[in-house]
Amino acid sequence: MRRRTRQLLLLGCVLAVVAAPFAWSQRRAFVEPNVPYDGRFTFVRLRYTQGYRMAWSADYPAMERNFMAILGDLSVMRVHRKGSNVHVLDDPELGRYPVAYLTEPGYWYPTDEEAAALRRWILKGGFLIVDDFYFDRQWAVFEAGMRKVLPEARIDPLTVSHPVFHSFFSIKTLEGMTHPATPAAKAVYLGIHEDNDPAKRLQVVINFNNDIGDYMEWSGEGWYPVNLSNDAYKFATNYVVYGLTH
C-alpha cells in the first residue's frame, strides 16, 4: 500500500512538472500598465470581456518580452522591449496601433459594441493576428465571433506563396508545426482579405491548430524543440512586418 502511495505521489509530481508551462503560462491575473504612445512599435494584445475572461492573457507577458527582444535584434525597428499594451476591443486608443494579437479565440464572445469597434479598426488598416486554438469546437466559437466582426468576410486557406510568409523571412513550408497541447492538431494558416480578394491586403491572419505565442514564451526554457520556437518567431516577425507595410 505504501509503495502504491509513493508511486502515485511520484506520478503526481511528474505531471505537475510537465504541466507547469501550460498551466502557469496560460493565465495571468495581473495586467501591467500600458506604455505611453511614442511612435515606437508596441506589441498590442486584445482583452475580451465576454467568455472565459482570462483566456486573453495566455502567455502574457513573457511572450511579448521574448518576441520584442528578438524583433528588436533582427530588425532596425524601434520597439518597446520592456513594455506592451493590453486594450479592450472598443478602446479608442487601439486606433494608434496598426497590429494587434488575439489569443485563445475559442473562448471569445465579442459584444456587439466590441465587434463593431474591431471592424472599424480592421477596415481602417488594422492587421489582426489570431493565435492559440485548435479542433472544431474552438473553431466554431472563433468563427461565430469573427462573423460578428466581419459578417461578409470569407476565411481563406493560405498557401506558402502568400506575401505574408515572405515579408521578412522567406518561409519555405507551412508543414511541421502543431498546437503544443497535442501533436494531433496540425497547424493550418488562414486569412481574411480586403473585399474577399486574395490580391488585396490581408486583414486577418489565423493560426489554427497552433500556438506560436506559447512556443515564444518558453523558447528559452527548453520545453519545446528549438526548430518549433524558431519557426514561431519567424511567423510572428513576418506578421508584424506585413502588418506595418500593408
Side-chain angles (χ1 to χ4, degrees):
M1 188 67 178
R2 285 194 294 269
R3 180 181 179 186
R4 178 64 174 168
T5 301
R6 288 197 299 270
Q7 289 174 335
L8 290 173
L9 288 173
L10 178 60
L11 177 62
C13 291
V14 171
L15 290 175
V17 171
V18 171
F22 302 102
W24 181 86
S25 70
Q26 295 301 309
R27 310 288 176 254
R28 176 83 176 211
F30 174 71
V31 181
E32 300 174 335
N34 286 348
V35 298
Y37 177 79
D38 62 4
R40 283 184 285 174
F41 179 78
T42 304
F43 189 92
V44 171
R45 177 187 290 262
L46 296 180
R47 175 169 66 86
Y48 39 92
T49 60
Q50 306 299 312
Y52 182 24
R53 297 191 180 189
M54 290 310 299
W56 64 266
S57 65
D59 312 315
Y60 172 86
M63 182 270 280
E64 283 90 326
R65 297 293 189 277
N66 291 344
F67 180 36
M68 289 301 95
I70 293 293
L71 187 62
D73 288 345
L74 283 174
S75 71
V76 295
M77 292 172 57
R78 297 171 58 245
V79 304
H80 276 287
R81 291 176 181 252
K82 297 183 179 180
S84 60
N85 283 17
V86 175
H87 294 282
V88 293
L89 280 69
D90 54 354
D91 185 348
E93 284 295 302
L94 182 60
R96 293 180 177 271
Y97 304 97
V99 180
Y101 177 80
L102 176 70
T103 191
E104 291 208 15
Y107 302 95
W108 172 53
Y109 298 86
T111 65
D112 292 343
E113 294 76 16
E114 290 172 334
L118 187 59
R119 182 187 314 123
R120 289 192 296 270
W121 177 79
I122 291 173
L123 295 180
K124 287 181 178 180
F127 183 66
L128 180 64
I129 303 167
V130 181
D131 189 40
D132 189 5
F133 67 126
Y134 60 104
F135 295 157
D136 292 346
R137 185 173 181 179
Q138 292 191 26
W139 174 267
V141 175
F142 159 71
E143 186 175 24
M146 203 70 239
R147 293 300 176 201
K148 290 186 69 173
V149 176
L150 296 171
E152 306 301 322
R154 186 181 69 228
I155 300 176
D156 295 319
L158 301 178
T159 67
V160 73
S161 63
H162 194 284
V164 75
F165 301 121
H166 303 275
S167 58
F168 189 91
F169 293 101
S170 183
I171 294 174
K172 305 300 184 183
T173 179
L174 301 183
E175 303 294 328
M177 293 196 76
T178 66
H179 194 284
T182 170
K186 306 297 184 183
V188 179
Y189 304 89
L190 307 106
I192 296 174
H193 294 88
E194 184 179 0
D195 298 328
N196 292 325
D197 183 350
K200 293 187 177 182
R201 180 177 76 92
L202 184 66
Q203 299 171 312
V204 182
V205 65
I206 303 160
N207 301 317
F208 181 51
N209 284 346
N210 203 351
D211 183 0
I212 64 173
D214 205 52
Y215 285 119
M216 290 189 288
E217 180 191 12
W218 295 99
S219 59
E221 304 298 327
W223 288 104
Y224 301 125
V226 171
N227 64 307
L228 296 181
S229 296
N230 287 347
D231 286 347
Y233 282 118
K234 290 178 182 180
F235 281 109
T237 300
N238 277 25
Y239 295 161
V240 167
V241 172
Y242 182 92
L244 294 176
T245 55
H246 290 72

